[in-house]
Amino acid sequence: MRERRAIVVGAGIGGLTAAIALRRVGIEAQVFERASELREAGAGISLWPNAVLPLRRLGVGEAIEAAGHPSTDGSLRSWTGEPLGPAVADRLEGTFGAPLVVVHRAALQAALRDALPPDAVTLGREAVAVEQDGAAAEVRFSDGSLERGDLVIGADGIRSRVRAAVIGDAEPRYSGYTAWRGVVSMDASLANEALLGESWGPASLFGVAHLAGSQAYWWASVRAGKRRSGTGDEEKEALLRRFAGWHPTVSALIEATVPEAIIRTPLYDRRPSARWTEG
């Protein structure tokens, strides 16, 4: 029988994981990425048990867990540091069979890439159109080249060209929230004093979790209107003003973060679609 072929557009976390899964069931999956090099945007990511378990089944869980840090001590607090409820992370493995793992996005992407053959990912190929006939689906790239397969999977972000071809919906909508993220090296004093987990305040939150080694990943979210990003120094100053008066962990982590490591992201989403396929 002819081996079936899938074309995956996008070499982020979703696209690489899809390719690994398809190849495990005998489908030749080829990933095409518009960037000339793989550089995962962002800082850390929390992998809950319902992500860790399938990654284990795909054979990449061990490498990802080794690159990350199991979270067992996070809790929910108020903006002043008062506990709002018991920590649950320490009970996850006993309940679900896997821990909550916090890992740097770049390390996660690297582990997924290493699980694929070298020729399974092609960089520098930007998909611009998707078409199909009765026999196959076809992706057209910006350089004029074509790739045909039995299946095309869109993993090319919130403004996906594949999604547009399948669903044809409108532009994504601004959620009303903006997020900031950063990775910081903690000295012994900060590591001992930091309140891990999430702290909630008026229309805002701030969270922190350990990464591997002495690093920590922090994230913040604020209800805010859309605006253009400032320089790293401007974003750092804005965060310090916004979270002034919160418990000391918050300002200490922001202060310890070099401005270039602070990432500001307006949060967009899309209305749920009942249809995920076409033809």
Side-chain angles (χ1 to χ4, degrees):
M1 292 179 62
R2 180 181 66 84
E3 184 177 36
R4 289 177 295 172
R5 184 173 194 247
I7 300 170
V8 181
V9 180
I13 294 168
L16 294 173
T17 305
I20 293 168
L22 289 165
R23 283 176 172 260
R24 283 182 62 88
V25 296
I27 298 174
E28 180 204 351
Q30 189 73 30
V31 183
F32 294 91
E33 166 62 42
R34 67 179 180 180
S36 58
E37 61 177 315
L38 288 186
R39 297 181 60 189
E40 175 59 50
I45 186 171
S46 298
L47 301 176
W48 289 72
N50 59 344
V52 175
L53 289 172
L55 289 170
R56 287 177 177 176
R57 290 198 295 272
L58 292 177
V60 294
E62 183 176 351
I64 291 169
E65 290 174 68
H69 188 280
S71 177
T72 58
D73 47 8
S75 60
L76 184 62
R77 301 176 181 274
S78 74
W79 64 281
T80 61
E82 295 298 318
L84 295 177
V88 298
D90 59 342
R91 304 197 299 270
L92 292 175
E93 186 158 17
T95 303
F96 300 108
L100 165 62
V101 177
V102 183
V103 62
H104 198 290
R105 284 177 176 265
L108 172 58
Q109 187 180 39
L112 295 171
R113 177 65 185 87
D114 290 344
L116 290 167
D119 61 353
V121 179
T122 302
L123 303 178
R125 298 280 296 279
E126 181 181 5
V128 295
V130 182
E131 300 173 351
Q132 62 182 327
D133 53 33
E138 183 176 86
V139 179
R140 186 180 301 275
F141 295 90
S142 58
D143 60 3
S145 61
L146 299 173
E147 294 286 344
R148 287 175 66 83
D150 301 280
L151 173 69
V152 173
I153 295 177
D156 48 338
I158 196 167
R159 291 177 172 83
S160 165
R161 292 292 179 89
V162 181
R163 179 190 177 100
V166 172
I167 300 175
D169 56 356
E171 282 290 299
R173 59 186 180 178
Y174 179 57
S175 67
Y177 286 85
T178 293
W180 290 262
R181 293 162 291 161
V183 172
V184 60
S185 295
M186 297 191 297
D187 58 25
S189 175
L190 182 55
N192 289 332
E193 296 175 2
L195 298 179
L196 301 180
E198 266 192 357
S199 300
W200 289 5
S204 54
L205 64 81
F206 190 95
V208 58
H210 276 304
L211 288 171
S214 62
Q215 289 187 314
Y217 159 53
W218 60 259
W219 61 95
S221 178
V222 172
R223 186 166 182 83
K226 289 188 290 184
R227 68 171 177 83
R228 296 185 64 179
S229 297
T231 65
D233 289 307
E234 290 170 340
E235 296 297 337
K236 184 171 181 174
E237 287 301 317
L239 282 169
L240 289 170
R241 290 194 302 271
R242 181 62 182 78
F243 289 96
W246 285 49
H247 61 79
T249 291
V250 178
S251 58
L253 284 168
I254 298 172
E255 286 280 13
T257 307
V258 297
E260 295 77 19
I262 296 176
I263 301 168
R264 177 183 176 274
T265 310
L267 301 181
Y268 287 80
D269 66 5
R270 289 184 176 276
R271 299 187 184 279
S273 175
R275 181 166 60 88
W276 284 56
T277 62
E278 175 68 28

